[in-house]
Coordinates of all heavy atoms in Angstrom, one line a residue:
M1 N -32.0 -13.3 -5.9 CA -32.2 -14.7 -6.3 C -31.8 -15.6 -5.1 O -30.8 -15.4 -4.4 CB -31.3 -15.1 -7.5 CG -31.4 -16.5 -7.9 SD -30.4 -16.8 -9.4 CE -30.8 -18.4 -9.7
K2 N -32.7 -16.5 -4.7 CA -32.5 -17.4 -3.5 C -31.5 -18.5 -3.9 O -31.4 -18.9 -5.0 CB -33.8 -18.0 -3.1 CG -34.8 -17.0 -2.5 CD -35.7 -17.7 -1.6 CE -36.6 -16.7 -1.0 NZ -36.8 -16.9 0.4
K3 N -30.7 -18.8 -2.9 CA -29.8 -19.9 -3.1 C -30.5 -21.3 -3.0 O -31.5 -21.4 -2.4 CB -28.7 -19.9 -2.0 CG -27.8 -18.7 -2.1 CD -26.6 -18.8 -1.2 CE -25.7 -17.6 -1.3 NZ -24.4 -17.9 -1.4
K4 N -29.9 -22.2 -3.7 CA -30.4 -23.6 -3.7 C -29.7 -24.5 -2.7 O -28.5 -24.4 -2.6 CB -30.3 -24.2 -5.1 CG -31.1 -23.6 -6.2 CD -32.3 -24.4 -6.4 CE -33.1 -23.8 -7.6 NZ -34.4 -24.3 -7.7
C5 N -30.4 -25.3 -2.0 CA -29.9 -26.3 -1.1 C -29.1 -27.4 -1.9 O -29.7 -28.0 -2.7 CB -31.0 -26.8 -0.2 SG -30.5 -28.1 0.9
I6 N -27.9 -27.6 -1.5 CA -27.1 -28.6 -2.2 C -27.7 -30.0 -1.9 O -27.5 -30.9 -2.7 CB -25.6 -28.6 -1.8 CG1 -24.7 -29.6 -2.5 CG2 -25.4 -28.9 -0.3 CD1 -24.4 -29.1 -3.9
L7 N -28.3 -30.2 -0.8 CA -28.8 -31.5 -0.3 C -30.2 -31.9 -0.9 O -30.4 -33.0 -1.1 CB -28.9 -31.5 1.2 CG -27.5 -31.3 1.9 CD1 -27.8 -31.2 3.4 CD2 -26.5 -32.3 1.6
S8 N -31.0 -30.9 -1.2 CA -32.4 -31.2 -1.6 C -32.7 -30.6 -3.0 O -33.6 -31.1 -3.7 CB -33.4 -30.6 -0.6 OG -33.3 -29.2 -0.7
G9 N -31.9 -29.6 -3.4 CA -32.2 -28.9 -4.7 C -33.3 -27.9 -4.5 O -33.7 -27.2 -5.5
L10 N -33.9 -27.7 -3.3 CA -34.9 -26.7 -3.1 C -34.3 -25.3 -2.8 O -33.2 -25.2 -2.3 CB -35.8 -27.1 -1.9 CG -36.4 -28.5 -2.0 CD1 -37.0 -28.9 -0.6 CD2 -37.4 -28.5 -3.1
S11 N -35.1 -24.3 -3.0 CA -34.7 -22.9 -2.6 C -34.6 -22.8 -1.1 O -35.5 -23.4 -0.4 CB -35.7 -21.9 -3.2 OG -35.6 -21.8 -4.6
I12 N -33.7 -22.1 -0.6 CA -33.5 -22.0 0.9 C -34.4 -20.9 1.4 O -34.2 -19.7 1.0 CB -32.0 -21.7 1.2 CG1 -31.2 -22.9 0.8 CG2 -31.9 -21.5 2.8 CD1 -29.7 -22.7 1.0
P13 N -35.4 -21.2 2.2 CA -36.2 -20.1 2.8 C -35.4 -19.1 3.7 O -34.4 -19.5 4.2 CB -37.3 -20.9 3.6 CG -37.1 -22.3 3.3 CD -35.7 -22.5 2.7
D14 N -36.0 -17.9 3.8 CA -35.3 -16.9 4.7 C -35.2 -17.5 6.1 O -36.1 -18.1 6.6 CB -36.2 -15.6 4.7 CG -36.1 -14.9 3.4 OD1 -35.2 -15.1 2.6 OD2 -37.1 -14.1 3.1
G15 N -34.1 -17.3 6.7 CA -33.8 -17.7 8.1 C -33.5 -19.2 8.2 O -33.3 -19.7 9.3
E16 N -33.4 -19.9 7.1 CA -33.2 -21.4 7.2 C -31.8 -21.8 6.5 O -31.6 -22.9 6.3 CB -34.3 -22.2 6.5 CG -35.6 -22.0 7.2 CD -35.6 -22.5 8.6 OE1 -35.0 -23.6 8.9 OE2 -36.1 -21.8 9.5
Y17 N -31.0 -20.8 6.3 CA -29.7 -21.0 5.6 C -28.7 -21.6 6.6 O -28.5 -21.2 7.8 CB -29.1 -19.7 5.1 CG -27.8 -19.8 4.4 CD1 -27.8 -20.1 3.1 CD2 -26.6 -19.6 5.1 CE1 -26.5 -20.2 2.4 CE2 -25.4 -19.6 4.4 CZ -25.4 -19.9 3.1 OH -24.2 -20.0 2.4
S18 N -27.9 -22.6 6.1 CA -26.8 -23.2 6.9 C -25.7 -23.6 5.9 O -26.0 -23.7 4.7 CB -27.2 -24.3 7.8 OG -27.5 -25.5 7.0
I19 N -24.6 -23.9 6.4 CA -23.5 -24.4 5.6 C -23.4 -25.9 5.8 O -23.2 -26.4 6.9 CB -22.1 -23.7 6.0 CG1 -22.2 -22.2 5.7 CG2 -21.0 -24.3 5.2 CD1 -22.3 -21.8 4.3
D20 N -23.4 -26.6 4.7 CA -23.2 -28.1 4.8 C -21.8 -28.4 4.4 O -21.2 -27.9 3.4 CB -24.1 -28.8 3.8 CG -23.9 -30.3 3.7 OD1 -23.9 -30.9 4.8 OD2 -23.6 -30.8 2.6
H21 N -21.1 -29.2 5.2 CA -19.9 -29.8 4.9 C -20.2 -31.1 4.1 O -20.7 -32.0 4.7 CB -19.0 -30.1 6.1 CG -18.5 -28.8 6.8 ND1 -19.3 -28.2 7.7 CD2 -17.4 -28.1 6.6 CE1 -18.6 -27.1 8.1 NE2 -17.5 -27.1 7.5
F22 N -20.1 -31.0 2.8 CA -20.5 -32.1 2.0 C -20.0 -33.5 2.4 O -20.8 -34.4 2.5 CB -20.1 -31.8 0.5 CG -20.9 -32.6 -0.5 CD1 -22.3 -32.5 -0.6 CD2 -20.3 -33.5 -1.3 CE1 -23.0 -33.2 -1.5 CE2 -21.0 -34.2 -2.2 CZ -22.4 -34.1 -2.4
V23 N -18.7 -33.6 2.7 CA -18.2 -34.7 3.4 C -17.9 -34.3 4.8 O -17.2 -33.4 5.1 CB -16.9 -35.3 2.7 CG1 -16.4 -36.5 3.5 CG2 -17.2 -35.6 1.3
A24 N -18.6 -35.0 5.8 CA -18.5 -34.5 7.2 C -17.1 -34.7 7.8 O -16.3 -35.5 7.3 CB -19.5 -35.4 8.0
K25 N -16.9 -33.8 8.8 CA -15.6 -33.8 9.5 C -15.2 -35.3 10.0 O -14.1 -35.6 10.0 CB -15.7 -32.9 10.7 CG -14.5 -32.8 11.5 CD -14.7 -31.8 12.7 CE -13.5 -31.6 13.5 NZ -13.7 -30.6 14.5
Y26 N -16.2 -36.0 10.4 CA -16.0 -37.4 10.9 C -15.3 -38.2 9.9 O -14.5 -39.1 10.3 CB -17.4 -38.0 11.1 CG -17.4 -39.4 11.6 CD1 -17.2 -39.6 13.0 CD2 -17.6 -40.4 10.8 CE1 -17.2 -40.9 13.5 CE2 -17.5 -41.8 11.3 CZ -17.4 -42.0 12.6 OH -17.3 -43.3 13.1
W27 N -15.4 -38.0 8.6 CA -14.9 -38.8 7.6 C -13.6 -38.3 7.0 O -12.9 -39.0 6.2 CB -15.9 -39.0 6.4 CG -17.1 -39.7 6.8 CD1 -18.3 -39.1 6.9 CD2 -17.3 -41.0 7.2 NE1 -19.3 -40.0 7.4 CE2 -18.7 -41.2 7.6 CE3 -16.4 -42.1 7.4 CZ2 -19.2 -42.4 8.0 CZ3 -17.0 -43.3 7.8 CH2 -18.3 -43.5 8.1
L28 N -13.2 -37.1 7.3 CA -12.0 -36.5 6.7 C -10.9 -36.3 7.7 O -11.1 -36.0 8.8 CB -12.3 -35.2 6.0 CG -13.2 -35.2 4.8 CD1 -13.6 -33.8 4.4 CD2 -12.6 -36.0 3.7
P29 N -9.6 -36.3 7.2 CA -8.5 -35.9 8.0 C -8.6 -34.5 8.5 O -9.3 -33.6 7.8 CB -7.3 -36.1 7.1 CG -7.7 -36.9 6.0 CD -9.2 -36.7 5.9
S30 N -8.0 -34.2 9.6 CA -8.1 -32.8 10.2 C -7.7 -31.8 9.1 O -6.7 -31.9 8.4 CB -7.1 -32.7 11.4 OG -7.1 -31.5 11.9
G31 N -8.5 -30.7 9.1 CA -8.2 -29.6 8.2 C -8.9 -29.7 6.8 O -9.1 -28.7 6.2
L32 N -9.1 -30.9 6.3 CA -9.7 -31.0 5.0 C -11.2 -30.7 4.9 O -11.7 -30.1 3.9 CB -9.5 -32.4 4.4 CG -8.1 -32.8 4.0 CD1 -8.1 -34.2 3.4 CD2 -7.5 -31.8 3.0
Y33 N -11.9 -30.9 6.0 CA -13.3 -30.7 5.9 C -13.7 -29.3 5.8 O -14.8 -28.9 5.3 CB -14.0 -31.4 7.1 CG -14.2 -30.5 8.4 CD1 -15.4 -30.0 8.7 CD2 -13.1 -30.2 9.2 CE1 -15.6 -29.1 9.8 CE2 -13.2 -29.4 10.3 CZ -14.5 -28.9 10.6 OH -14.6 -28.1 11.7
S34 N -12.8 -28.3 6.2 CA -13.2 -26.9 6.2 C -12.7 -26.2 4.9 O -12.9 -25.0 4.8 CB -12.5 -26.2 7.4 OG -13.2 -26.5 8.6
L35 N -12.2 -27.0 4.0 CA -11.8 -26.4 2.7 C -13.1 -25.8 2.0 O -14.2 -26.4 2.1 CB -11.2 -27.4 1.8 CG -9.8 -27.9 2.2 CD1 -9.3 -29.0 1.3 CD2 -8.8 -26.7 2.3
P36 N -13.0 -24.7 1.3 CA -14.1 -24.1 0.6 C -14.8 -25.1 -0.4 O -16.0 -25.0 -0.6 CB -13.6 -22.9 -0.2 CG -12.3 -22.6 0.6 CD -11.8 -23.9 1.1
E37 N -14.1 -26.0 -0.9 CA -14.6 -26.9 -1.9 C -15.6 -28.0 -1.2 O -16.3 -28.7 -1.9 CB -13.5 -27.7 -2.6 CG -12.6 -26.8 -3.5 CD -11.5 -26.1 -2.7 OE1 -11.4 -26.2 -1.5 OE2 -10.7 -25.4 -3.4
N38 N -15.6 -28.0 0.1 CA -16.4 -28.9 0.8 C -17.6 -28.3 1.5 O -18.4 -28.9 2.2 CB -15.5 -29.7 1.9 CG -16.3 -30.8 2.5 OD1 -16.9 -31.6 1.8 ND2 -16.1 -31.0 3.8
K39 N -17.7 -26.9 1.3 CA -18.8 -26.2 2.0 C -19.8 -25.7 0.9 O -19.5 -25.1 -0.1 CB -18.2 -25.0 2.7 CG -17.3 -25.3 3.8 CD -16.8 -24.0 4.5 CE -15.9 -24.3 5.6 NZ -15.4 -23.1 6.2
F40 N -21.1 -26.0 1.2 CA -22.2 -25.6 0.3 C -23.4 -25.1 1.1 O -23.6 -25.5 2.3 CB -22.6 -26.8 -0.5 CG -21.5 -27.3 -1.4 CD1 -20.6 -28.3 -1.0 CD2 -21.4 -26.8 -2.7 CE1 -19.6 -28.8 -1.8 CE2 -20.3 -27.2 -3.5 CZ -19.5 -28.2 -3.1
P41 N -24.2 -24.3 0.5 CA -25.5 -23.8 1.2 C -26.5 -24.9 1.3 O -26.6 -25.8 0.4 CB -26.0 -22.7 0.2 CG -25.4 -23.0 -1.1 CD -24.1 -23.7 -0.9
A42 N -27.2 -24.9 2.4 CA -28.2 -26.0 2.7 C -29.3 -25.4 3.6 O -29.1 -24.4 4.3 CB -27.5 -27.2 3.4
I43 N -30.4 -26.1 3.6 CA -31.5 -25.8 4.5 C -31.2 -26.4 5.8 O -30.8 -27.6 5.9 CB -32.8 -26.3 3.9 CG1 -33.2 -25.6 2.6 CG2 -34.0 -26.2 4.9 CD1 -34.3 -26.2 1.8
K44 N -31.3 -25.7 6.9 CA -30.9 -26.1 8.2 C -31.4 -27.5 8.6 O -30.6 -28.4 9.0 CB -31.3 -25.1 9.3 CG -30.5 -23.9 9.4 CD -31.1 -23.0 10.5 CE -30.5 -21.7 10.5 NZ -31.0 -20.8 11.6
I45 N -32.7 -27.7 8.5 CA -33.3 -29.0 9.0 C -32.8 -30.2 8.1 O -32.5 -31.2 8.6 CB -34.8 -28.9 9.0 CG1 -35.4 -30.2 9.7 CG2 -35.4 -28.8 7.6 CD1 -35.1 -30.3 11.2
I46 N -32.6 -29.9 6.8 CA -32.1 -31.0 5.9 C -30.7 -31.3 6.2 O -30.3 -32.5 6.3 CB -32.4 -30.7 4.5 CG1 -33.9 -30.6 4.2 CG2 -31.8 -31.7 3.6 CD1 -34.3 -30.2 2.8
N47 N -29.9 -30.3 6.5 CA -28.5 -30.5 6.9 C -28.4 -31.3 8.2 O -27.6 -32.2 8.3 CB -27.8 -29.1 7.1 CG -26.3 -29.2 7.1 OD1 -25.8 -30.2 6.9 ND2 -25.7 -28.0 7.3
N48 N -29.3 -31.0 9.1 CA -29.3 -31.7 10.4 C -29.7 -33.2 10.2 O -29.2 -34.1 10.8 CB -30.3 -31.1 11.4 CG -29.7 -29.8 12.0 OD1 -28.5 -29.6 12.0 ND2 -30.6 -29.0 12.5
I49 N -30.6 -33.4 9.3 CA -31.1 -34.8 9.0 C -29.9 -35.6 8.3 O -29.7 -36.7 8.6 CB -32.3 -34.8 8.1 CG1 -33.5 -34.3 8.9 CG2 -32.6 -36.2 7.5 CD1 -34.7 -34.0 8.0
K50 N -29.2 -34.9 7.4 CA -28.1 -35.6 6.7 C -27.0 -36.0 7.7 O -26.5 -37.1 7.6 CB -27.5 -34.6 5.7 CG -26.3 -35.3 5.0 CD -25.4 -34.2 4.3 CE -24.1 -34.8 3.9 NZ -23.0 -33.9 4.4
G51 N -26.8 -35.1 8.7 CA -25.8 -35.5 9.7 C -24.4 -35.8 9.1 O -23.9 -35.1 8.3
I52 N -23.9 -37.0 9.5 CA -22.5 -37.4 9.1 C -22.6 -38.4 7.9 O -21.6 -39.0 7.6 CB -21.7 -37.9 10.2 CG1 -22.2 -39.2 10.8 CG2 -21.5 -36.8 11.3 CD1 -21.3 -40.0 11.7
K53 N -23.7 -38.5 7.3 CA -23.8 -39.5 6.2 C -22.8 -39.0 5.1 O -22.7 -37.9 4.8 CB -25.2 -39.5 5.6 CG -26.2 -40.1 6.4 CD -27.6 -40.2 5.7 CE -28.6 -40.9 6.5 NZ -29.2 -40.1 7.5
M54 N -22.3 -40.0 4.4 CA -21.4 -39.8 3.2 C -22.4 -39.3 2.1 O -23.5 -39.7 2.1 CB -20.7 -41.0 2.8 CG -19.6 -41.4 3.8 SD -18.2 -40.2 3.7 CE -17.4 -40.7 2.2
P55 N -21.8 -38.5 1.1 CA -22.7 -38.1 0.0 C -23.4 -39.2 -0.7 O -24.6 -39.1 -1.0 CB -21.7 -37.4 -0.9 CG -20.6 -36.9 0.0 CD -20.5 -38.0 1.1
C56 N -22.8 -40.4 -0.9 CA -23.5 -41.5 -1.5 C -24.6 -42.0 -0.7 O -25.7 -42.4 -1.2 CB -22.5 -42.6 -1.9 SG -21.6 -43.2 -0.5
E57 N -24.5 -42.1 0.6 CA -25.6 -42.5 1.5 C -26.7 -41.5 1.5 O -27.9 -41.9 1.4 CB -25.1 -42.6 3.0 CG -24.1 -43.7 3.3 CD -23.7 -43.6 4.7 OE1 -22.9 -42.8 5.0 OE2 -24.2 -44.4 5.5
W58 N -26.4 -40.2 1.5 CA -27.4 -39.2 1.5 C -28.2 -39.2 0.2 O -29.4 -39.2 0.2 CB -26.8 -37.8 1.7 CG -27.8 -36.7 1.4 CD1 -27.9 -35.9 0.4 CD2 -29.0 -36.5 2.2 NE1 -29.0 -35.1 0.5 CE2 -29.7 -35.4 1.6 CE3 -29.4 -37.0 3.4 CZ2 -30.9 -34.9 2.1 CZ3 -30.6 -36.5 3.9 CH2 -31.3 -35.5 3.3
Y59 N -27.5 -39.3 -0.9 CA -28.3 -39.3 -2.2 C -29.1 -40.6 -2.4 O -30.1 -40.5 -3.1 CB -27.3 -39.1 -3.4 CG -26.9 -37.6 -3.5 CD1 -25.7 -37.2 -3.1 CD2 -27.9 -36.7 -3.9 CE1 -25.4 -35.8 -3.1 CE2 -27.6 -35.3 -3.9 CZ -26.3 -34.9 -3.5 OH -26.0 -33.6 -3.6
D60 N -28.8 -41.6 -1.7 CA -29.6 -42.8 -1.8 C -30.9 -42.6 -1.1 O -31.9 -43.2 -1.4 CB -28.9 -44.1 -1.1 CG -27.9 -44.7 -2.1 OD1 -27.8 -44.3 -3.3 OD2 -27.1 -45.5 -1.6
T61 N -31.0 -41.8 0.0 CA -32.2 -41.6 0.8 C -32.8 -40.2 0.6 O -33.9 -40.0 1.1 CB -31.9 -41.8 2.3 OG1 -30.9 -40.8 2.7 CG2 -31.4 -43.2 2.6
R62 N -32.2 -39.3 -0.1 CA -32.8 -37.9 -0.1 C -34.1 -37.8 -0.8 O -35.0 -37.0 -0.4 CB -31.8 -36.9 -0.7 CG -31.8 -36.9 -2.2 CD -30.9 -35.8 -2.7 NE -31.1 -35.7 -4.2 CZ -30.8 -34.6 -4.8 NH1 -30.2 -33.6 -4.2 NH2 -30.9 -34.6 -6.1
Y63 N -34.4 -38.6 -1.8 CA -35.7 -38.6 -2.5 C -36.8 -38.8 -1.5 O -37.7 -38.1 -1.4 CB -35.7 -39.5 -3.7 CG -37.0 -39.4 -4.4 CD1 -37.3 -38.4 -5.4 CD2 -38.1 -40.3 -4.1 CE1 -38.5 -38.3 -6.0 CE2 -39.3 -40.2 -4.8 CZ -39.5 -39.2 -5.7 OH -40.7 -39.1 -6.3
E64 N -36.7 -39.9 -0.8 CA -37.7 -40.3 0.2 C -37.9 -39.2 1.2 O -39.0 -38.8 1.6 CB -37.3 -41.6 0.9 CG -38.3 -42.0 1.9 CD -37.9 -43.3 2.6 OE1 -37.2 -44.1 2.0 OE2 -38.3 -43.4 3.8
L65 N -36.8 -38.6 1.8 CA -36.9 -37.6 2.8 C -37.3 -36.3 2.3 O -38.0 -35.6 3.1 CB -35.5 -37.5 3.5 CG -35.0 -38.7 4.3 CD1 -33.6 -38.5 4.7 CD2 -35.9 -39.0 5.5
C66 N -36.9 -35.8 1.2 CA -37.2 -34.5 0.7 C -38.5 -34.4 -0.1 O -39.0 -33.3 -0.2 CB -36.0 -34.0 -0.1 SG -34.5 -33.8 0.8
Y67 N -38.9 -35.4 -0.8 CA -39.9 -35.2 -1.8 C -41.2 -36.0 -1.4 O -42.2 -35.8 -2.1 CB -39.4 -35.6 -3.2 CG -38.3 -34.8 -3.6 CD1 -37.0 -35.3 -3.7 CD2 -38.5 -33.4 -3.9 CE1 -35.9 -34.5 -4.0 CE2 -37.4 -32.6 -4.2 CZ -36.2 -33.1 -4.3 OH -35.1 -32.3 -4.7
N68 N -41.2 -36.9 -0.4 CA -42.4 -37.6 0.0 C -43.0 -37.0 1.2 O -42.4 -36.4 2.0 CB -42.1 -39.1 0.2 CG -41.8 -39.8 -1.1 OD1 -42.3 -39.4 -2.1 ND2 -41.0 -40.8 -1.0

C-alpha cells in the first residue's frame, strides 16, 4: 500500500518520498521540529513548494497548487 502525502492527500509515487516537518524548523524552538509528531510523509516537490509555510498558510493555498 502506497503512503499518502500529508500535504496533498495524493499517493506518493515511487522515488518521490520525502519527510515533511509539518511546522518548519524556522517557526519552532530548537529541538521541537524533529519530534516524531512533527514528521510526516510527503511528495518531494510538494514539500519543496510548501517550504516554511505554517500549516494554516499551506492549507489556504494547497487546493490551488495541488488540484488545478
Side-chain angles (χ1 to χ4, degrees):
M1 182 175 183
K2 292 203 175 223
K3 292 191 179 226
K4 294 261 184 193
C5 174
I6 187 79
L7 302 173
S8 67
L10 302 171
S11 292
I12 300 174
D14 293 338
E16 295 300 317
Y17 180 86
S18 71
I19 298 291
D20 175 54
H21 290 85
F22 198 62
V23 178
K25 180 179 183 177
Y26 180 84
W27 299 109
L28 291 174
S30 179
L32 289 181
Y33 90 104
S34 286
L35 292 174
E37 296 84 357
N38 192 41
K39 294 180 181 180
F40 295 93
I43 297 171
K44 283 180 188 178
I45 189 68
I46 296 176
N47 195 5
N48 287 336
I49 292 168
K50 177 196 167 235
I52 65 165
K53 288 183 177 80
M54 288 292 284
C56 56
E57 291 177 284
W58 171 252
Y59 283 105
D60 282 348
T61 59
R62 85 177 186 157
Y63 181 82
E64 179 182 333
L65 294 172
C66 295
Y67 301 108
N68 289 333

